[in-house]
Amino acid sequence: MSVNYVSTRDLKKNQITASQAILKGLADDGGLFVPTSIPALDVSLDKLADMNYQQVAYEVLKLFLSDFTEEELKHCINSAYDSKFDTKEIAPLTYADGAYYLELFHGATIAFKDMALSILPHLMITSARKNNIKNDIVILTATSGDTGKAALAGFADVEGTRIVVFYPKNGVSAIQEKQMVTQKGDNTHVVGIKGNFDQAQTGVKQMFNDKALAAELDAAGFQFSSANSINIGRLVPQIAYYVYAYAKLLKEEKIKYGETINVVVPTGNFGNILAAYYAKNMGLPIDKLICASNENKVLYDFFATGEYDKNRDFILTNSPSMDILISSNLERLIYHIAGDDAAENAKLMESLKTSGKYQITPEMKAKLDSFYGNYATEAETCATIKKVFNDTGYIIDTHTGVASNVFDKYKAETNDSKTTVIASTASPFKFTRAVMGAIDPAYEKEEDFVLVDKLSELGKVAVPNAIEEIRSAAIRHDTVVEVPEMCAEVKRFLGI
Ligand SMILES: *Cc1c(COP(=O)(O)O)cnc(C)c1O
């Protein structure tokens, strides 16, 4: 059965193919693309248990990306999940303190965004070819730190693509900046702006919406595209690792055939946990989807009350990738629990836009019974990191710490003892200072790279390549521009 895509806000339900949805990113009406139906897994769990990561990924991707050939998909998968990852397993499971940590941080930038951003460039280039697009694809991104580097690493040296990343010159951490400005690849361009993240984001959006600029680009053989997290080319590859984790537990006889497991996901934009929801709806035996938030607990309140309300203070925490008040991917869940009703969804999203909040119906809320939401404060997160380390010697990062703490709360509330997988979304080396400070506040006065070596010693894990590289790597990008010069800078890089 072939799966097409519709916008969550399109009352007419116009369908486009997967490759067209990947190229477009966001629908013209502002909605997100969702599959016309969620396909069921068509190989048995036993068979999946004998497959490696790439093979499992193929079994998932072939169902959602119906207009790709087997050869195309396998090429994309093998180009993505290769030696850029520091383990053949790609996403290994580690047991510690009563849960299986699914380590999604073994890619180029040691955070889970690599799972999707290492394959998206290949899906995009293949999509362009399938749709007879001759132009080179130019990815434009504004970043507050992490996404920019993961996108750069994914697109670097991918033929037929260019990538330009804008970041606030004084608004990212020293390590994040070093990671970006040392990026290799002649098709990459990193630009600091004299402004904040919102100004970078607005500048990028203006370029996307500029029709004259699009025509100028087209004449020179280029067109813009976006790598942001609402692209289905990022969502679909994330489903694969939940299937892989289940298959692995089965293979290692940690669970019986068909036994249900719980999944805990540290959540920000709701992409990762939505992938788990899709996996469940494909027939993977998942019981509870446990949504873990930090102090920006808009989702916890939503699951508790059925009201989504972003009107509140934005809190900066030590799990910055979850500091989000508008979880964009939640719109897809809203559409599904409304019974794939675009009119109902569009009404709620309009309310979000005008008043910053919306309330779902009791019928919709009843469809959320597989979700459990809770949150962890910064102090609770630090205490959990310390406890897991003291009990087991395993060191988790701050985002994963939020998930682990929420899992403890879930167990205390429910006495549920099902086998549980916690999505471990970043290497502790990415947040060394906060992690080491949680283990012992005395570390807080040490230098970053001293802490890196201490962490390696304490956790008995080698320093990841991504960190080793930036110790000594040469700076390759030193362009800084004023906000109004962003567009001119893009043209200069493209030679037009
Ligand atoms: C992006 C990110 C998250 C949040 O994932 P969403 O898909 O946005 O919910 C959690 N942890 C880390 C380390 C991340 O980079």
Side-chain angles (χ1 to χ4, degrees):
M1 198 184 63
S2 110
V3 171
N4 281 327
Y5 289 80
V6 294
S7 162
T8 50
R9 300 186 194 175
D10 179 10
L11 308 190
K12 297 206 183 90
K13 293 197 186 278
N14 287 311
Q15 298 191 12
I16 61 173
T17 61
S19 64
Q20 289 166 337
I22 288 170
L23 285 170
K24 280 189 85 73
L26 195 70
D28 294 332
D29 57 19
L32 311 193
F33 290 113
V34 281
T36 42
S37 65
I38 297 179
L41 278 169
D42 65 359
V43 279
S44 72
L45 298 170
D46 276 338
K47 283 225 175 74
L48 289 164
D50 285 325
M51 292 182 186
N52 64 21
Y53 192 85
Q54 293 79 357
Q55 290 166 322
V56 170
Y58 173 71
E59 293 303 326
V60 172
L61 264 59
K62 73 169 194 202
L63 298 171
F64 282 94
L65 308 181
S66 312
D67 69 323
F68 285 66
T69 66
E70 175 170 352
E71 197 193 341
E72 287 167 343
L73 281 180
K74 288 189 170 163
H75 173 75
C76 291
I77 289 168
N78 293 330
S79 309
Y81 305 116
D82 61 6
S83 59
K84 288 191 284 303
F85 285 74
D86 66 10
T87 160
K88 276 210 163 60
E89 279 209 75
I90 307 298
L93 278 172
T94 299
Y95 183 80
D97 219 24
Y100 291 88
Y101 288 85
L102 176 61
E103 296 183 355
L104 303 173
F105 55 73
H106 288 274
T109 74
I110 57 176
F112 102 99
K113 306 273 187 309
D114 292 327
M115 299 303 295
L117 280 166
S118 53
I119 192 165
L120 180 70
H122 304 286
L123 294 174
M124 213 169 244
I125 282 302
T126 309
S127 298
R129 280 199 209 107
K130 298 179 80 63
N131 291 281
N132 292 318
I133 287 168
K134 303 280 186 305
N135 289 336
D136 275 13
I137 304 285
V138 181
I139 300 293
L140 278 192
T141 305
T143 186
S144 55
D146 281 347
T147 305
K149 177 62 190 183
L152 284 163
F155 281 90
D157 290 325
V158 174
E159 217 172 298
T161 72
R162 311 286 168 95
I163 174 164
V164 185
V165 170
F166 292 97
Y167 73 96
K169 177 67 189 158
N170 296 315
V172 300
S173 80
I175 291 202
Q176 284 175 322
E177 179 170 36
K178 186 100 194 263
Q179 277 192 308
M180 289 193 281
V181 298
T182 55
Q183 179 63 48
K184 296 192 185 115
D186 289 340
N187 66 335
T188 66
H189 192 45
V190 179
V191 184
I193 63 151
K194 293 183 193 159
N196 61 28
F197 171 66
D198 280 338
Q199 289 171 297
Q201 177 109 309
T202 306
V204 163
K205 278 195 185 145
Q206 274 166 1
M207 282 187 264
F208 274 127
N209 294 333
D210 185 338
K211 294 225 164 64
L213 178 63
E216 220 177 316
L217 249 65
D218 189 48
F222 297 108
Q223 71 187 62
F224 287 140
S225 192
S226 148
N228 75 17
S229 83
I230 45 82
N231 195 307
I232 61 127
R234 281 185 62 178
L235 183 61
V236 171
Q238 293 178 178
I239 302 169
Y241 48 74
Y242 291 106
V243 178
Y244 179 72
Y246 188 94
K248 201 78 200 161
L249 289 171
L250 189 59
K251 171 88 179 165
E252 290 174 3
E253 299 183 357
K254 308 294 185 201
I255 52 172
K256 293 197 289 292
Y257 190 98
E259 186 178 330
T260 56
I261 63 168
N262 294 327
V263 168
V264 191
V265 187
T267 298
N269 219 3
F270 211 75
N272 200 357
I273 195 165
L274 187 76
Y277 171 81
Y278 276 9
K280 178 179 165 76
N281 283 280
M282 292 175 81
L284 193 71
I286 295 176
D287 184 23
K288 282 283 183 279
L289 299 157
I290 300 173
C291 177
S293 302
N294 64 22
E295 283 161 71
N296 295 291
K297 59 183 184 57
V298 106
L299 288 165
Y300 163 71
D301 293 336
F302 169 70
F303 284 117
T305 64
E307 183 186 58
Y308 192 93
D309 184 357
K310 77 164 179 84
N311 302 308
R312 59 183 76 205
D313 288 338
F314 180 85
I315 302 169
L316 289 172
T317 74
N318 65 4
S319 44
S321 303
M322 297 159 66
D323 290 345
I324 284 177
L325 291 180
I326 299 189
S327 301
S328 320
N329 270 294
L330 187 66
E331 176 168 351
R332 289 187 164 109
L333 182 68
I334 297 295
Y335 173 83
H336 291 310
I337 61 172
D340 289 2
D341 184 339
E344 178 69 19
N345 174 64
K347 191 180 84 193
L348 297 177
M349 293 308 132
E350 185 56 30
S351 160
L352 179 65
K353 198 170 143 196
T354 52
S355 68
K357 57 185 180 179
Y358 60 81
Q359 172 84 45
I360 60 172
T361 64
E363 296 74 38
M364 287 167 75
K365 188 157 187 296
K367 291 195 192 146
L368 294 177
D369 60 351
S370 55
F371 284 92
Y372 168 91
N374 213 326
Y375 72 100
T377 64
E378 199 159 286
E380 287 173 331
T381 303
C382 289
T384 296
I385 292 171
K386 189 178 167 77
K387 177 186 113 214
V388 173
F389 171 67
N390 286 345
D391 291 356
T392 68
Y394 186 58
I395 303 182
I396 56 178
D397 99 290
T398 45
H399 303 76
T400 311
V402 169
S404 188
N405 179 271
V406 164
F407 178 49
D408 287 342
K409 287 176 178 148
Y410 172 78
K411 277 187 296 187
E413 257 176 51
T414 62
N415 285 320
D416 185 355
S417 61
K418 271 190 207 68
T419 301
T420 295
V421 167
I422 296 179
S424 182
T425 51
S427 161
F429 287 96
K430 191 145 196 173
F431 299 95
T432 309
R433 178 159 295 282
V435 168
M436 292 300 279
I439 289 172
D440 184 347
Y443 287 122
E444 275 162 17
K445 57 182 190 311
E446 307 268 11
E447 301 260 1
D448 280 342
F449 279 105
V450 171
L451 287 180
V452 162
D453 291 327
K454 282 262 187 249
L455 173 56
S456 170
E457 206 181 296
L458 220 55
K460 300 188 178 65
V461 280
V463 177
N465 266 338
I467 298 288
E468 280 303 352
E469 264 173 29
I470 57 168
R471 270 194 225 245
S472 55
I475 308 271
R476 296 189 68 256
H477 305 271
D478 57 4
T479 310
V480 179
V481 302
E482 302 283 348
V483 175
E485 294 165 7
M486 287 170 65
C487 181
E489 185 55 31
V490 170
K491 287 202 212 169
R492 201 190 57 75
F493 174 61
L494 297 177
I496 55 177

